[in-house]
Amino acid sequence: MKFREYGEVKPITITADTAGELDSQIEELGSKHDIIDLQFAMATDGDGYVWFSALLLVKEKENVLR
């Protein structure tokens, strides 16, 4: 993906204990930033602990009057 074409794009990584919590964090970020790209994953450790993570490419929302 040629994300540099979008200008001031920055990566943000988030983690959560549940998929619902991750969704909530993504929604919150989406209200403050334009999400250009999003990748998410689920992982477990050797003890069976599960967590969810996401890597987002975001940029500040543009204030466009319509």
Side-chain angles (χ1 to χ4, degrees):
M1 178 178 180
K2 298 179 181 180
F3 67 87
R4 288 175 185 85
E5 295 174 357
Y6 289 96
E8 298 295 320
V9 174
K10 67 178 184 176
I12 296 177
T13 303
I14 56 176
T15 60
D17 292 328
T18 66
E21 182 182 332
L22 187 70
D23 286 343
S24 295
Q25 290 182 40
I26 292 169
E27 288 287 331
E28 182 179 339
L29 281 169
S31 69
K32 298 175 184 173
H33 304 280
D34 287 330
I35 298 174
I36 306 302
D37 193 19
L38 167 68
Q39 297 180 11
F40 60 92
M42 180 187 79
T44 60
D45 66 8
D47 296 327
Y49 175 74
V50 177
W51 72 92
F52 302 84
S53 62
L55 170 64
L56 300 90
L57 294 178
V58 302
K59 73 178 208 172
E60 296 298 322
K61 284 193 178 279
E62 295 179 15
N63 293 327
V64 178
L65 299 176
R66 294 181 184 191

